[in-house]
Each structure stands twice: as structure tokens, then as C-alpha cells.
């Protein structure tokens, strides 16, 4: 495993949300942050060098995207996901969440129903509610430490007139990478009931062994015409602060309407460094990504095995993402007590499971995109706190 990931970078006093907001969020400075979904790992050297070279140019004027960048994105998707797209399907934006907001505004009307699968990434709730759409949930089934889709409930909700479905694949926070069979069942229902698919695939490149990410729009031409796919290099290459993403929109009418929506809100240009980083990541970042995945899989297995002798907590064996969903329901605590235990007893800053929806009560989310010794330290703190309860 690469020594690149051995040391914890110093991130305090860099305006880091994860590190410099600890006291504001947890009430004390002595909480180990393992929450916000960015990495405590250095970016790939080719990306760093590209950014340094661009900075040394010393001019940061308006910067445009071009056919070469489109081709770079196309080649990445073909190589990584066996997805052959056309250049004119691409729409760039500052972030996946921005794109999903524009998509909801574009493909639905006030009062329309938009479905999400809970527990799920908290901004999905705001994307629906802030535009006066009706939020409909399709809770995932949870049995024996594993999540599946409740297709009977999904069809029932679609029958009630759902207009759009925000899919999360790989799923945040439960870590599922939906299989081809599951995706085909989803698309069959979406086509049958004329439901537009808004697919958040930002974690698409972070997939563990024996699993494969399949862009849902790649399943058929009919599905692609009914899908807006949101992707980005930011999770993959730890570039979140550079705010660069893109949507794949094969349907020309939808694509033109989306472009007009972005224009209406003044979102027509990426920042210079984001473009630079995207190009460098997709042309020179593959070796770094392979080493990263080895680290993440090692860290995931470490966390899962660590709790096997402490049945009060079950760590989901994520199939993708660098996020581990911890089932703490057997601790016998209320959710408020669970939060207090993690913050005050274990001294660990995790994401509050309840923020992902009511189905997340009794759960916490852990970020493992850090050097292994840092992840081990965090796990040990929880285990020690558990032992002290007994």
C-alpha cells in the first residue's frame, strides 16, 4: 500500500468544515472528526502539480469548457464504467446538488411528487421541499445488516403519481452499490409509470472488489432518454472545495431546458482551478485511485471486523463509498443518548444518523477516508467507551 496515505495531513486553521467547525458542532475541541465526506488524504501528485502550474501562470480570468474536456470525460466514463456517451450530452455545473436542484425545477412543477429512498443524503430532502414539491419516501428494507429496495412499496408510490425519482447509487449512507438486476427493476417501473430518474452517482468510482458500478442510464436508450445522471471527480479525487461536476443528459429537450435553467440562475461557468483539476484527475489520476481503493477497502474491513466482538454496534460492509453506516440500535439508547455517547464518552465526531431521515435513528455514519492509524484510533475510542459501559 502506498506510503502516500500514511500520514494525517494538518488541516486545522485552513477553514476546513470537518476540522475547524468541531467545537461549534460538538461543543468541545477534543472530539476526533470522522464526519464530513471529504478525505484526510493528499490529492494525487499530477493533480497537485497541474494546480501549481496553473497558479504560477498568475492569471485567473474567465475560463471555458471545451471539446477536449468533453472528450476527457467521455474517455473516463468509457474506461471506468463501460458507458459510451456523446460529448453534447454533458452539462457542467459547480456541484451535484446544484444540478439536482436545477433538475427538479426543470422536470417537475410545484405540487408534483418527488421520491427518495431513505435513509439518504440529507440535502435530498431540501432539494424537494425547497421548491414546493411533495416529498415521497420509499424506505429501504433493512434485514440482518443489509439493505435492499422495497419494490412493492416503490411501485405503489409510483402509482400515486410520482413525477421524479432521485436515485443515490452508490447509496449514501448505507453503502450499497445497486446491482444490474436491481437497476433493471427500477428502470422497468420508471418507464412504466413515466417517472424521470435523477441519478446521483458522485461515488461511482469508489467501488470495492466484487462489485461494479453501472450507470443506470447505460441500461438502454429508452432509460437514457428518461435520466439525468450527476457525476463528479470531487469525491473520487478529494476535490470537493474546487466545486466541479457534470451531468449527462441524453434527452435534447431536457438538456436544453436544463441549460436554460442554469442560465436563469447565472450558473454558466466553472472556476479555473476546478477545470484544471478535472482534466488532471481524469488523465493522470488512475494509479492514485487504485492505491486509494486498496486503502479504503483495508480501512472498511478493519472497521467491520473491529465491531464483530462488540455486538452492540454493527458496521455495514460497504460495497462502495468511503462511508460506513453504523447500526447502534442494540446499544439500547435513545438517539439523543447515542449522540451524547459518541461525543462525550467516545470523543468521536460522526454524522448523526437521524439527519438522513427517521430510518437513521439509532445509526451513525463514519468517514474512513483517512490514514489507517487514524481510523484505528477512532474505532478504538468507540470500543473503549463501549467496554466502559459494561
Amino acid at each position: 500500500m502506498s506510503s502516500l496515505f500514511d500520514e494525517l495531513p494538518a488541516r486545522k486553521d485552513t477553514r476546513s468544515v470537518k476540522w475547524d467547525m468541531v467545537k461549534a458542532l460538538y461543543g468541545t475541541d477534543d472530539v476526533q472528526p470522522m464526519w464530513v465526506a471529504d478525505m484526510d488524504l493528499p490529492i494525487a501528485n499530477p493533480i497537485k502539480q497541474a494546480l501549481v502550474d496553473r497558479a504560477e501562470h498568475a492569471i485567473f480570468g474567465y475560463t471555458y469548457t471545451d471539446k477536449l474536456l468533453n472528450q476527457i470525460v467521455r474517455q473516463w466514463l468509457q474506461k471506468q464504467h463501460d458507458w459510451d456517451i456523446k460529448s453534447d450530452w454533458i452539462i457542467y455545473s459547480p456541484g451535484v446538488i446544484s444540478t439536482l436542484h436545477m433538475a427538479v425545477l426543470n422536470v417537475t412543477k410545484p405540487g408534483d411528487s418527488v421520491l427518495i429512498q431513505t435513509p439518504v443524503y440529507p440535502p435530498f430532502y431540501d432539494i424537494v421541499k425547497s421548491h414546493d414539491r411533495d416529498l415521497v419516501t420509499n424506505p429501504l428494507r433493512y434485514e440482518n445488516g443489509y439493505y435492499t429496495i422495497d419494490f412493492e412499496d416503490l411501485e405503489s408510490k409510483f402509482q400515486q403519481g410520482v413525477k421524479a425519482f432521485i436515485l443515490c447509487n452508490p447509496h449514501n449512507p448505507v453503502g450499497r452499490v445497486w446491482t444490474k438486476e436491481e437497476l433493471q427493476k427500477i428502470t422497468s417501473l420508471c418507464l412504466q409509470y413515466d417517472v424521470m430518474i435523477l441519478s446521483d452517482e458522485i461515488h461511482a468510482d469508489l467501488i470495492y472488489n466484487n462489485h461494479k458500478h453501472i450507470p443506470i442510464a447505460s441500461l438502454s436508450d429508452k432509460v437514457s432518454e428518461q435520466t439525468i445522471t450527476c457525476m463528479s471527480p470531487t469525491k473520487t479525487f478529494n476535490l470537493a472545495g474546487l466545486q466541479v461536476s457534470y451531468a449527462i443528459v441524453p434527452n435534447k429537450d431536457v438538456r436544453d431546458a436544463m441549460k436554460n435553467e442554469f442560465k436563469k440562475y447565472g450558473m454558466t461557468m466553472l472556476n479555473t482551478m476546478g477545470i484544471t483539476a478535472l482534466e488532471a484527475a481524469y488523465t493522470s489520476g488512475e494509479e492514485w485511485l487504485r492505491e486509494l481503493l486498496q486503502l479504503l477497502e483495508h480501512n472498511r474491513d478493519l472497521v467491520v471486523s473491529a465491531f464483530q466482538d462488540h455486538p452492540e454496534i454493527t458496521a455495514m460492509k460497504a460495497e462502495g463509498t468511503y462511508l460506513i453506516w453504523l447500526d447502534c440500535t442494540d446499544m439500547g439508547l435513545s438517539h439523543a443518548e447515542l449522540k451524547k455517547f459518541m461525543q462525550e464518552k467516545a470523543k468521536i465526531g460522526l454524522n448523526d444518523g437521524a439527519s438522513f431521515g427517521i430510518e437513521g435513528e439509532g445509526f451513525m455514519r463514519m468517514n474512513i477516508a483517512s490514514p489507517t492509524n487514524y481510523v484505528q484510533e477512532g474505532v478504538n475510542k468507540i470500543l473503549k467507551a463501549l467496554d466502559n459501559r459494561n
Side-chain angles (χ1 to χ4, degrees):
M1 195 177 300
S2 174
S3 60
L4 176 67
F5 303 130
D6 286 347
E7 295 186 14
L8 185 72
R11 298 188 63 191
K12 289 185 178 180
D13 301 321
T14 63
R15 296 191 177 91
S16 163
V17 171
K18 181 187 289 183
W19 286 85
D20 292 327
M21 294 184 67
V22 166
K23 187 171 184 179
L25 289 166
Y26 299 106
T28 178
D29 285 324
D30 63 348
V31 166
Q32 179 178 339
M34 299 185 75
W35 60 298
V36 171
D38 62 16
M39 302 187 204
D40 292 315
L41 301 169
I43 63 173
N45 283 330
I47 304 175
K48 179 181 177 180
Q49 190 60 52
L51 293 170
V52 169
D53 291 345
R54 191 65 184 82
E56 288 180 345
H57 181 254
I59 300 293
F60 302 97
Y62 297 118
T63 308
Y64 66 94
T65 56
D66 58 10
K67 291 182 179 180
L68 174 59
L69 196 67
N70 289 351
Q71 183 62 19
I72 289 169
V73 170
R74 285 189 63 201
Q75 290 173 346
W76 181 262
L77 296 181
Q78 177 65 58
K79 187 171 185 179
Q80 299 296 321
H81 306 298
D82 302 318
W83 190 19
D84 185 18
I85 69 164
K86 296 180 179 180
S87 291
D88 61 4
W89 293 355
I90 302 171
I91 301 174
Y92 294 97
S93 84
V96 165
I97 295 303
S98 300
T99 303
L100 288 172
H101 276 283
M102 296 300 119
V104 166
L105 284 169
N106 177 55
V107 304
T108 66
K109 299 175 182 178
D112 281 351
S113 296
V114 179
L115 182 141
I116 62 177
Q117 292 179 311
T118 55
V120 75
Y121 186 47
F124 282 15
Y125 295 86
D126 294 332
I127 288 167
V128 178
K129 293 179 178 180
S130 63
H131 301 300
D132 299 318
R133 273 56 172 179
D134 182 31
L135 178 68
V136 177
T137 63
N138 168 228
L140 298 175
R141 282 180 172 163
Y142 178 59
E143 295 177 318
N144 301 318
Y146 191 73
Y147 283 89
T148 56
I149 297 171
D150 185 340
F151 283 102
E152 291 183 5
D153 179 73
L154 183 63
E155 181 169 15
S156 173
K157 300 294 173 55
F158 282 178
Q159 288 172 341
Q160 296 171 30
V162 166
K163 298 299 182 183
F165 166 33
I166 305 179
L167 173 69
C168 194
N169 183 35
H171 193 281
N172 174 11
V174 309
R176 279 297 319 278
V177 175
W178 303 120
T179 65
K180 185 175 183 179
E181 181 182 9
E182 289 169 318
L183 294 173
Q184 286 173 331
K185 287 182 179 180
I186 289 172
T187 58
S188 176
L189 291 173
C190 287
L191 292 173
Q192 180 180 350
Y193 294 101
D194 195 24
V195 176
M196 193 74 184
I197 303 169
L198 315 179
S199 189
D200 175 359
E201 302 186 15
I202 196 170
H203 292 97
D205 302 318
L206 301 171
I207 308 297
Y208 298 121
N209 285 326
N210 302 317
H211 299 282
K212 178 176 174 56
H213 176 76
I214 301 171
I216 193 168
S218 70
L219 292 178
S220 75
D221 290 341
K222 281 188 176 181
V223 174
S224 70
E225 287 288 304
Q226 206 160 303
T227 303
I228 297 171
T229 304
C230 303
M231 308 182 92
S232 172
T234 55
K235 293 299 183 205
T236 309
F237 293 100
N238 202 25
L239 305 171
L242 296 182
Q243 297 185 317
V244 55
S245 78
Y246 53 90
I248 309 300
V249 191
N251 185 307
K252 186 179 185 305
D253 291 339
V254 174
R255 185 170 66 250
D256 289 345
M258 284 280 289
K259 288 180 179 179
N260 288 333
E261 202 72 52
F262 275 111
K263 184 177 180 180
K264 184 167 70 175
Y265 286 87
M267 300 168 64
T268 58
M269 189 175 295
L270 295 180
N271 75 77
T272 301
M273 291 307 210
I275 294 171
T276 301
L278 186 157
E279 180 176 8
Y282 281 0
T283 56
S284 304
E286 197 169 356
E287 181 179 349
W288 180 93
L289 176 57
R290 283 196 295 269
E291 294 177 355
L292 171 71
L293 288 170
Q294 291 176 16
L295 171 78
L296 295 180
E297 188 152 5
H298 176 74
N299 287 352
R300 179 205 62 179
D301 293 345
L302 181 157
V303 175
V304 171
S305 63
F307 288 107
Q308 287 179 346
D309 293 330
H310 289 74
E312 307 99 315
I313 295 179
T314 299
M316 307 292 107
K317 190 173 184 178
E319 299 169 350
T321 83
Y322 50 74
L323 306 165
I324 302 296
W325 193 231
L326 301 176
D327 179 355
C328 309
T329 53
D330 285 339
M331 289 180 66
L333 302 176
S334 69
H335 193 74
E337 291 170 336
L338 174 61
K339 289 173 60 179
K340 187 175 181 179
F341 171 85
M342 291 297 180
Q343 294 174 28
E344 298 182 9
K345 302 297 183 183
K347 298 292 184 179
I348 291 290
L350 305 175
N351 282 98
D352 176 8
S355 68
F356 297 84
I358 190 171
E359 297 85 2
E361 291 188 1
F363 292 74
M364 303 294 281
R365 193 189 75 173
M366 173 184 283
N367 181 343
I368 60 167
S370 301
T372 297
N373 60 358
Y374 185 78
V375 175
Q376 184 70 69
E377 179 185 355
V379 170
N380 287 345
K381 287 181 178 179
I382 298 174
L383 296 179
K384 182 178 179 180
L386 286 172
D387 288 340
N388 288 338
R389 292 180 75 222
N390 300 326

